Amino acid sequence: MRASEGPFTHGEWLAAAQSRGELTPETVAHIRKWLEQPWYRAARPALEQLLARREVAELTRLFWERIPFGTGGRRGPMADLGSATINPRTIAESAHGLAVYVRQTVKEDALRAAVAFDTRLRSREFAEVTAGVLAAQGFTVFFYPQPRATPQLSFTVRKLGCHCGVMLSASHNPPGDNGFKAYWSHGGQVLAPHDLGIIACVDAAEEIPQLEFDDAVRAGAVVLLDAALDRAYVDAVCALSLAPQSRAIRALYTPLHGVGESSVWAVVRQAGFREAALFEPQRAPDGRFPNVPDHLPNPERTAAWEPAVVAAQAGGFDIVLASDPDADRIAVAARDAAGRFHCLTGNQLSALLCDFVLSQTQGLGRLTPEHYVIQTLVTTPLVAAIARGYGVDVVRELPVGFKHMAAVVEARGPEKFLYATEESLGYMAGDYCRDKDAAIGALWTLELAADLKAGGLTLLDRLRELHRRHGVHVESQVAREFPGPSGQAHIHSLLRRFRETPPASWGPCRWQRVRDYGRREVRSLPDNLVVGTLPLEAGDLLIAEGSADDCAVQLALRPSGTEPKIKFYLFVQAPPDAAVETRLDQCQALRSSLEQALEAWLAESPFRG
């Protein structure tokens, strides 16, 4: 949409557009800054053209916000300019803010950083900008010249003793997105107070020194990494094998056009799974994700890797694995006894791998009460039940994000750490990195599946056994995307509505209390009165608790930290019962009624963006 032309200066037109409600005050403020400040001079010609053409919609898209740091760092749509997009200037600001803050905090002369990038469009370009900015600040930058996995960046920070690291990736987002993930010296993503300190330095960025990438390489300020680090990373993952005797499994793996062949596939091959194969149509590294349905490479969307499942069904494979583009998450589909494939949820695989790790460690005679596993508040309670069943500790009062789980390992020590997991297909183990890794998830999944196959069982059989032992647990996630400034306002309004006027019941479920981590309150329902406090601030997260018959029910809702979405997590839990199938039907029916109630609740506040 174009506003009408007029004889205004750019400043006058911006003021008029704001007064007419065409541009928000925040949008106008960001545009003025880019128009007036000298350090945005490179973008000024393109910006002036947009203003001359009165491109209201495009100006809003580019400047409606200052792109924030969330649970996964800074992530958003790519463009050539704009405060709300990933572009050379916002990448340079991010790198500059990180470099300045590290220099202020560490106070050492010989600073070191690692930089890697994935297969996304412009990732290499943004990685070179990042390296050039860090080098200009006096860092020695260890740079992967080819796309590599996010967990390998975490590994590299730790292996080379770096003070920080940067991964250029937007993980599973659409092809038009990219991102900047900042890592601290322990190999985990940046946490408070460092995140706030970095943001302050980013906001203060004006003129940004930057070395040309090739010049920095010739000067030795940027060091190109070779295959030695690749081998060290793969060795570190393979060293965590728990069942080296179990290799007889036919597996089909797809990297969804991402970096997974260099990490997941390298581990699978080195670990000795000779009956594994790559799914060729989605093998080639390509940031357009051409052979992924809808070009959306999120393995939580089973449609993204359904072509591999179809091929596996026809080809007689036992299991299918799919990693996201930066290979830090892994999804799995497994056959049932009748030969049909079922795509496991992240919660189901979290529970299966937790039981596998604990049972194997126990079988080796190494398990002690001092060992611990970690999960987040929105991950299935079945993980905690399994951990308690083995007599080990479980840390579960954590916000979303592996950076929080990495902080637990740093605080408690890695010696007794066994496993960390999150419902969004993430799994972390060992001491080689401090982030989720598709490679370790793939290794352990294949070992478990091969071990079960040798006994005539499947992953689904083991899941039923866990339900019999600990009670049936059924979960689902519903996400709604609301883009742009009106979408952000709508997400906040939905959270405010649930916080201030929570429902008394949904279908057969009666809500009894709500934990409000944003306000650190526990409130009784339906009166919504404060009855307690919470020790943890976990962002804008609400968890309602209720019951239906003898089943426990939870609903969690929060805004996504990396996408313009609000997410709802449903949990239904029945007590242990030998009649697993009957209980499973009961829980699934209850979940369906809750999903219908959620849809009705959302329909009461339609999005009019």
Side-chain angles (χ1 to χ4, degrees):
M1 170 183 177
R2 294 186 181 184
S4 60
E5 300 283 349
F8 297 110
T9 66
H10 294 323
E12 290 171 337
W13 179 78
L14 285 169
Q18 179 179 329
S19 67
R20 292 191 299 267
E22 295 175 352
L23 296 173
T24 66
E26 293 79 12
T27 302
V28 170
H30 294 144
I31 293 172
R32 287 187 184 277
K33 185 175 181 180
W34 279 60
L35 193 62
E36 297 168 1
Q37 299 297 343
W39 40 89
Y40 297 107
R41 66 179 71 87
R44 191 167 298 143
L47 176 55
E48 288 180 337
Q49 289 182 15
L50 291 172
L51 289 165
R53 295 195 301 265
R54 310 305 194 225
E55 294 280 3
V56 172
E58 183 66 359
L59 288 166
T60 296
R61 185 182 77 86
L62 296 175
F63 290 98
W64 70 274
E65 68 169 348
R66 182 178 179 85
I67 194 166
F69 276 81
T71 56
R74 208 173 200 185
R75 191 186 301 184
M78 290 182 285
D80 290 326
L81 74 159
S83 61
T85 70
I86 296 294
N87 58 69
R89 171 67 196 191
T90 54
I91 289 292
E93 287 175 349
S94 302
H96 179 76
L98 175 63
V100 169
Y101 181 77
V102 171
R103 182 169 289 286
Q104 292 173 351
T105 305
V106 175
K107 295 182 173 61
E108 294 181 13
D109 293 329
L111 296 174
R112 299 155 70 91
V115 176
F117 60 94
D118 68 3
T119 62
R120 285 184 171 271
L121 304 175
R122 303 185 71 177
S123 281
R124 172 70 189 243
E125 171 195 348
F126 295 147
E128 290 187 0
V129 170
T130 298
V133 171
L134 291 168
Q137 287 289 334
F139 283 73
T140 297
V141 181
F142 298 96
F143 188 91
Y144 278 104
Q146 300 297 327
R148 288 295 179 263
T150 291
Q152 187 165 340
L153 184 278
S154 172
F155 165 82
T156 304
V157 169
R158 295 176 62 77
K159 181 75 172 177
L160 299 183
C162 295
H163 298 89
C164 63
V166 176
M167 181 71 195
L168 283 303
S169 171
S171 187
H172 57 275
N173 281 37
D177 287 4
N178 217 315
F180 180 101
K181 295 183 181 181
Y183 286 76
W184 203 244
S185 57
H186 66 300
Q189 290 189 49
V190 173
L191 274 168
H194 300 311
D195 55 351
L196 298 179
I198 293 168
I199 290 169
C201 291
V202 170
D203 290 342
E206 296 180 352
E207 297 288 354
I208 299 175
Q210 180 179 339
L211 298 182
E212 289 295 327
F213 181 78
D214 291 340
D215 293 342
V217 172
R218 283 191 290 269
V222 173
V223 178
L224 302 182
L225 297 173
D226 59 23
L229 264 294
D230 295 334
R231 291 191 295 270
Y233 162 75
V234 172
D235 288 346
V237 179
C238 288
L240 295 177
S241 169
L242 290 171
Q245 76 286 352
S246 301
R247 293 294 181 267
I249 191 79
R250 295 201 67 212
L252 185 62
Y253 165 63
T254 172
L256 296 180
H257 293 302
V259 301
E261 186 169 354
S262 69
S263 60
V264 177
W265 184 245
V267 166
V268 168
R269 298 303 291 171
Q270 181 164 311
F273 291 96
R274 300 304 174 207
E275 297 180 78
L278 271 167
F279 181 57
E280 291 294 334
Q282 296 177 338
R283 178 180 184 178
D286 191 333
R288 298 168 301 169
F289 313 115
N291 294 324
V292 175
D294 303 317
H295 311 295
L296 297 176
N298 184 353
E300 288 183 281
R301 295 177 62 253
T302 55
W305 46 294
E306 184 178 1
V309 176
V310 172
Q313 186 80 56
F317 288 90
D318 302 308
I319 193 169
V320 181
L321 305 172
S323 59
D324 61 344
D326 65 328
D328 61 355
R329 301 190 299 156
I330 195 81
V332 172
R335 286 186 186 270
D336 61 16
R340 296 182 298 267
F341 270 100
H342 295 261
C343 296
L344 300 177
T345 68
N347 281 312
Q348 290 171 332
L349 191 56
S350 291
L352 286 165
L353 292 183
C354 182
D355 182 70
F356 175 68
V357 172
L358 293 172
S359 65
Q360 293 298 112
T361 306
Q362 184 181 67
L364 294 170
R366 300 174 185 168
L367 196 64
T368 71
E370 289 74 39
H371 279 97
Y372 65 99
V373 301
I374 314 172
Q375 67 172 102
T376 63
L377 284 161
V378 297
T379 302
T380 176
L382 182 54
V383 168
I386 291 168
R388 288 192 295 267
Y390 282 94
V392 303
D393 192 19
V394 57
V395 180
R396 60 179 304 195
E397 287 289 315
L398 289 177
V400 173
F402 273 80
K403 60 185 180 181
H404 302 290
M405 291 188 268
V408 172
V409 178
E410 288 298 301
R412 294 186 58 158
E415 294 80 11
K416 298 296 183 180
F417 166 60
L418 288 173
Y419 173 67
T421 186
E422 191 169 79
E423 51 74 37
S424 57
L425 306 174
Y427 317 98
M428 181 176 78
D431 198 31
Y432 70 98
C433 80
R434 289 287 185 270
D435 208 349
K436 57 188 179 292
D437 190 353
I440 188 61
L443 174 64
W444 282 351
T445 297
L446 291 177
E447 289 189 333
L448 171 59
D451 192 52
L452 289 169
K453 183 181 179 182
L457 299 173
T458 69
L459 292 175
L460 298 168
D461 293 325
R462 177 54 52 86
L463 187 61
R464 289 189 188 90
E465 170 59 23
L466 294 176
H467 284 165
R468 185 195 63 77
R469 196 186 312 163
H470 302 288
V472 169
H473 291 66
V474 171
E475 304 86 16
S476 66
Q477 182 192 126
V478 175
R480 289 290 181 271
E481 183 171 353
F482 302 111
S486 59
Q488 186 180 69
H490 187 66
I491 290 170
H492 291 323
S493 73
L494 290 173
L495 291 163
R496 183 170 58 251
R497 178 183 161 208
F498 198 95
R499 175 174 280 124
E500 295 176 358
T501 57
S505 63
W506 275 5
C509 174
R510 298 289 176 181
W511 299 115
Q512 295 156 352
R513 71 170 191 163
V514 62
R515 287 177 278 154
D516 186 338
Y517 287 89
R519 293 183 179 175
R520 297 176 66 176
E521 294 176 348
V522 180
R523 297 190 296 274
S524 61
L525 297 178
D527 50 16
N528 207 30
L529 297 177
V530 176
V531 295
T533 59
L534 294 168
L536 174 71
E537 194 282 319
D540 209 355
L541 172 66
L542 295 156
I543 301 180
E545 300 173 359
S547 62
D549 297 325
D550 61 348
C551 291
V553 178
Q554 289 189 24
L555 166 71
L557 57 157
R558 70 175 186 92
S560 170
T562 57
E563 299 172 278
K565 293 180 179 180
I566 184 170
K567 293 185 175 182
F568 301 86
Y569 307 81
L570 287 165
F571 305 89
V572 178
Q573 176 182 346
D577 193 326
V580 171
E581 296 301 326
T582 300
R583 284 294 193 175
L584 188 60
D585 290 342
Q586 176 192 12
C587 290
Q588 289 174 338
L590 178 54
R591 179 187 61 188
S592 295
S593 68
L594 291 167
E595 290 171 342
Q596 292 171 9
L598 171 59
E599 294 296 340
W601 184 83
L602 287 168
E604 293 172 6
S605 299
F607 178 50
R608 306 189 188 281

